Amino acid sequence: MAVTLEQAQRVGYTCLKALLRFAFMVANNLVAIPSYVLYLIVLQPLRILDSKSFWYIEGVLFKWLLAMVASWGWWAGYTVVEWGDDVKAVSEDEAMVLVNHQATGDVCTLMMCLQDKGTVVRQMMWLMDHIFKYTNFGIVSLIHGDFFIRQGRTHRDQQLVLLKEHLEKYYRSRNRKWIVLFPEGGFLRKRRETSQAYAKKNNLPFLKHVTLPRIGATQVILKTLVAPQENGTPSGGDAVRKESKSKGLQWVIDTTIAYPKAEPIDIQTWILGYRQPTVTHVHYRIFPVKDVPAEPEALTNWLYQRFIEKEDLLTHFYETGAFPPPKGQTKAISREMTLSNLWLVAIQSFAFLSGGMWYCLFQYLYHCLF
């Protein structure tokens, strides 16, 4: 089949754009990540004198780094529409965020859609696969205090012990509020077959759009972070209080990510931008921790039910292009999530100016010493 001049030009433009975006991403990482590390090295005396202020500054820098990642997708036209409960109402409370996992772009999507949720991004902790530790962003997550978990049956018990110790050491001492995890333990395409086989063997529902979650990390988080008494209010929009005097983990935010035509965005697409502008849909449902059972069997059933509901949500979305309305309502209301281009440009400019400043400083020191 002959290729027309117009098609060749379109392909050439896409390749050129992807190359330029990749070059920008590399430059962005080369200035932003070292600058983050160097700022925190310089601020080590503050960490000793005023730990709270140190972690506040670290959180702001961390949020800006995540905003830079969000900007790569935002400027490529990868936007987000939100559904369900308004999580801004609990942005100052402690919450555990449960997310379905389809591709590497899920993390980028969360980095984007949580940017406008108050202090959430700078005060959040991520649970992620240990492989992430060896990426360019690994040093940032390591300093921030995220937890890298090794998958596999042989590591499971040890990892849960390490997670408990990590939470006790870092979660409250660094004033963390939200903790994000992917209970499925891997990407949908990798776990679907084994999950369906397990479901069939144990007389559980057959799931296509999600997999049955693993309970271990969720149970450890609840046992470690939930206060003895909780006074959360029922979930749902305005019914969720903006402030709560209770201490400890107060909410579970069930988050469902849906991509048009069930075609998830991966990190390569996010960086290179060769896919046409895409709207990712994110659905939230908030549960008070007091409504979440503590016993392992009951908690397992509760968590399974959340992912069965996710299956129903995604089935409805893929059939209609929208999430279903909440019970008792006739229409689902969506909210378009927006980012300020001016703010993103300001953050990017700060990153490159910081990189230039550190370069000049090291050049000056080098000439002084040698």
Side-chain angles (χ1 to χ4, degrees):
M1 183 177 178
V3 178
T4 65
L5 178 61
E6 183 180 353
Q7 290 173 327
Q9 289 176 334
R10 189 182 303 117
V11 170
Y13 171 74
T14 301
C15 292
L16 177 61
K17 183 177 71 171
L19 182 62
L20 292 174
R21 284 177 57 87
F22 180 75
F24 176 78
M25 183 276 296
V26 171
N28 205 178
N29 277 275
L30 288 175
V31 296
I33 293 176
S35 293
Y36 166 87
V37 174
L38 290 169
Y39 277 126
L40 296 182
I41 290 175
V42 170
L43 289 172
Q44 285 303 303
L46 178 64
R47 183 178 180 179
I48 298 172
L49 298 172
D50 188 351
S51 177
K52 185 177 180 180
S53 295
F54 173 85
W55 289 113
Y56 175 88
I57 295 171
E58 184 278 333
V60 172
L61 296 174
F62 182 78
K63 179 177 180 177
W64 289 356
L65 281 177
L66 267 59
M68 292 176 200
V69 177
S71 72
W72 305 341
W74 180 258
W75 287 333
Y78 305 146
T79 57
V80 172
V81 167
E82 298 176 311
W83 304 73
D85 295 336
D86 184 2
V87 295
K88 289 182 181 179
V90 297
S91 62
E92 297 301 319
D93 298 334
E94 291 187 22
M96 176 172 62
V97 184
L98 308 175
V99 192
N100 62 314
H101 208 10
Q102 301 174 69
T104 48
D106 297 340
V107 175
C108 300
T109 296
L110 289 173
M111 288 180 177
M112 175 185 287
C113 64
L114 295 180
Q115 283 292 325
D116 68 341
K117 307 299 186 293
T119 62
V120 164
V121 175
R122 67 176 178 82
Q123 292 181 291
M124 73 194 313
M125 178 181 287
W126 296 75
L127 265 66
M128 59 191 72
D129 191 281
H130 79 288
I131 294 298
F132 194 80
K133 184 190 298 185
Y134 307 105
T135 66
N136 62 311
F137 213 80
I139 183 64
V140 175
S141 292
L142 195 65
I143 294 172
H144 184 69
D146 296 328
F147 183 76
F148 303 97
I149 190 165
R150 294 180 69 92
Q151 303 293 342
R153 190 183 302 273
T154 56
H155 304 288
R156 191 168 301 162
D157 292 340
Q158 180 192 28
Q159 290 299 296
L160 295 180
V161 172
L162 293 174
L163 173 60
K164 184 177 186 300
E165 294 174 352
H166 186 88
L167 293 173
E168 291 174 341
K169 185 175 182 180
Y170 297 116
Y171 192 82
R172 298 264 158 66
S173 66
R174 298 186 181 183
N175 195 29
R176 299 296 174 244
K177 294 292 186 181
W178 284 21
I179 183 165
V180 181
L181 68 154
F182 301 90
E184 292 166 293
F187 297 138
L188 173 64
R189 67 179 186 276
K190 293 183 177 181
R191 292 209 61 243
R192 179 159 41 199
E193 187 175 344
T194 55
S195 176
Q196 290 172 346
Y198 179 85
K200 183 178 181 180
K201 182 179 179 180
N202 292 274
N203 197 29
L204 294 168
F206 183 84
L207 307 176
K208 295 191 303 180
H209 306 304
V210 295
T211 65
L212 291 170
R214 295 170 178 173
I215 190 177
T218 303
Q219 187 176 25
V220 169
I221 291 169
L222 291 172
K223 281 187 175 182
T224 308
L225 300 182
V226 173
Q229 294 183 346
E230 294 293 334
N231 61 352
T233 58
S235 66
D238 295 335
V240 179
R241 293 186 305 167
K242 293 186 177 181
E243 296 181 1
S244 176
K245 295 182 180 180
S246 64
K247 296 180 180 180
L249 200 71
Q250 299 166 62
W251 312 100
V252 175
I253 303 175
D254 186 26
T255 304
T256 304
I257 299 176
Y259 299 94
K261 300 179 181 180
E263 297 176 353
I265 298 175
D266 55 28
I267 186 66
Q268 298 95 321
T269 306
W270 193 269
I271 292 171
L272 300 177
Y274 51 78
R275 182 169 168 177
Q276 291 297 311
T278 303
V279 179
T280 301
H281 297 257
V282 181
H283 184 280
Y284 306 105
R285 190 177 178 197
I286 304 174
F287 295 88
V289 161
K290 67 181 181 62
D291 293 345
V292 180
E295 294 301 318
E297 184 176 352
L299 177 59
T300 299
N301 292 332
W302 185 88
L303 195 58
Y304 279 1
Q305 189 58 41
R306 301 289 74 78
F307 277 77
I308 292 169
E309 290 174 359
K310 285 180 184 291
E311 176 77 12
D312 295 337
L313 286 171
L314 291 168
T315 298
H316 189 280
F317 177 84
Y318 295 139
E319 290 175 352
T320 66
F323 284 111
K327 291 182 179 179
Q329 299 183 22
T330 58
K331 185 179 180 181
I333 299 176
S334 63
R335 304 174 297 275
E336 184 177 353
M337 184 268 164
T338 60
L339 291 175
S340 167
N341 286 316
L342 181 61
W343 178 62
L344 293 176
V345 169
I347 291 173
Q348 294 284 8
S349 300
F350 175 77
F352 283 101
L353 288 172
S354 295
M357 178 194 73
W358 291 115
Y359 176 78
C360 292
L361 178 61
F362 282 117
Q363 285 285 94
Y364 174 76
L365 292 175
Y366 177 82
H367 287 301
C368 289
L369 295 173
F370 303 100

